[in-house]
């Protein structure tokens, strides 16, 4: 799949998801806490005046890298190569939580709007594999 085809697949499905779900923050965070209930305390710890802003920021960051993977893979690599170790060491956020937010966001979108064809799904699968792979390669750094 070319980068332009992958980018088109991501954009098309995200547009349909926006029509169905609107802002992704609440559905993603609700599902994320269902999967990782212990992460709620971490958000509260790192945002003691209210985790909503931090939740929105983390969902927004994840969405950004989902949206831009095919256009800017080097930017994503730089971000994940620094952010995953920083979250693990400085913030006590395990890579599983980091990866979990990626998987949760993608799952929420995929559950809300099915792929229109195999090519679109392939783009999403390729993007997921790449982003999750960046977390995994930085798991022990």
């Amino acid at each position: 799949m070319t980068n332009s085809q992958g980018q088109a697949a991501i954009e098309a499905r995200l547009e349909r998801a926006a029509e169905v779900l609107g802002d992704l923050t609440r559905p993603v965070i609700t599902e994320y806490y269902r999967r990782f209930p212990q992460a709620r305390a971490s958000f509260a710890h790192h945002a003691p005046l209210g985790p909503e802003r931090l939740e929105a920021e983390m969902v927004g960051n994840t969405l950004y890298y989902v949206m831009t993977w095919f256009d800017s893979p080097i930017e994503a690599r730089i971000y994940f190569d620094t952010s995953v170790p920083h979250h693990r060491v400085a913030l006590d956020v395990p890579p599983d939580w980091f990866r979990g937010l990626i998987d949760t966001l993608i799952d929420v979108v995929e559950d809300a709007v099915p792929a229109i064809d195999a090519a679109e799904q392939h783009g999403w699968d390729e993007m997921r594999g790449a982003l999750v792979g960046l977390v995994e390669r930085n798991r022990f750094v």
Side-chain angles (χ1 to χ4, degrees), residues 10 14 20 25 42 44 49 60 77 91 93 98-100 112 117 137:
I10 301 306
L14 284 174
V20 172
T25 302
S42 181
L49 299 178
R77 287 183 189 113
L91 302 173
V93 172
F98 206 102
R99 177 185 175 159
D117 58 26
R137 86 180 203 166

Side-chain angles (χ1 to χ4, degrees), residues 11-43:
E11 290 174 4
R13 200 169 193 179
L14 284 174
E15 286 176 16
R16 294 194 315 275
E19 292 172 9
V20 172
L21 298 169
D23 182 358
L24 291 176
T25 302
R26 273 301 109 210
V28 169
I29 287 297
T30 298
E31 177 60 18
Y32 180 71
Y33 287 155
R34 189 191 69 71
R35 295 178 184 188
F36 300 92
Q38 64 279 31
R40 184 184 301 267
S42 181
F43 274 87

Side-chain angles (χ1 to χ4, degrees), residues 10 35 69-70 99 102-108 110 121-134:
I10 301 306
R35 295 178 184 188
W69 169 253
F70 285 102
R99 177 185 175 159
I102 296 166
D103 281 329
T104 301
L105 185 143
I106 294 168
D107 289 345
V108 165
E110 289 185 338
Q121 187 60 51
H122 177 73
W124 278 76
D125 293 344
E126 187 176 327
M127 173 271 300
R128 181 195 298 254
L131 295 179
V132 165
L134 291 175

Side-chain angles (χ1 to χ4, degrees), residues 1-12 70 119-120 122-124:
M1 171 168 283
T2 68
N3 283 359
S4 61
Q5 291 170 322
Q7 188 63 38
I10 301 306
E11 290 174 4
F70 285 102
E120 185 177 87
H122 177 73
W124 278 76

